[in-house]
Amino acid sequence: MRIKDIDTTTWMWDLCRQTTSPGGLVDKGTKGKRRRWVPIIPQVRPLVLHRIALAGPDPDPMTRLFTGPRGGRITTAILRDATHWGEVVAAPGYEFLVRHGLRHTGLTWMADAGVPVHVLRKVAGHGSLSRRSGICIPNCGW
């Protein structure tokens, strides 16, 4: 997430890149090469404003809002270590859970809260709604 990706007028995040590590840390287009706009909920907005302010009075638009412990990119290994994921899921006996499952859980909760399917599709970055899309619509039979 870079400063230029955030529209603080509409509170939308232009999700247009991902950082991958095979062959070294590099930024590339999103999975499926689909750019999407993701709403930033009111509860997160003060944190985003704070991170923008930390970048200084005239920040470079390519400045990352969130960085790893040494100022670099946040990798999946950094997230794993920072969240203590292994210990968190092992304590109650849920070692089979993976962090990516939280994406599916979030989308399902949004569906349960009444977010329209076409909005869920856009937030998830999917071109179509299918069993493979990772969106579970309540009472849909899958």
Side-chain angles (χ1 to χ4, degrees), residues 13-83:
W13 170 21
D14 179 11
L15 184 56
C16 58
R17 78 183 65 76
Q18 64 178 333
T19 300
T20 59
S21 59
L25 289 175
V26 295
D27 286 347
K28 67 176 195 171
T30 60
K31 183 178 176 182
K33 309 294 185 253
R34 283 188 296 273
R35 158 180 250 134
R36 60 191 177 272
W37 287 90
V38 178
I40 299 173
I41 62 173
Q43 295 85 343
V44 177
R45 294 173 188 174
L47 172 62
V48 171
L49 287 174
H50 174 72
R51 299 301 301 182
I52 291 171
L54 288 176
D58 188 25
D60 177 350
M62 292 300 285
T63 299
R64 293 178 187 275
L65 285 184
F66 301 95
T67 58
R70 291 186 221 122
R73 294 178 176 143
I74 298 175
T75 64
T76 56
I78 289 171
L79 283 175
R80 181 196 60 232
D81 295 347
T83 60

Side-chain angles (χ1 to χ4, degrees), residues 75-120:
T75 64
T76 56
I78 289 171
L79 283 175
R80 181 196 60 232
D81 295 347
T83 60
H84 305 281
W85 185 261
E87 298 103 46
V88 167
V89 296
Y94 296 128
E95 295 88 351
F96 58 89
L97 293 177
V98 295
R99 289 187 317 270
H100 188 75
L102 297 174
R103 168 185 168 86
H104 300 272
T105 300
L107 291 166
T108 301
W109 287 353
M110 289 166 61
D112 288 346
V115 174
V117 174
H118 72 281
V119 173
L120 291 175

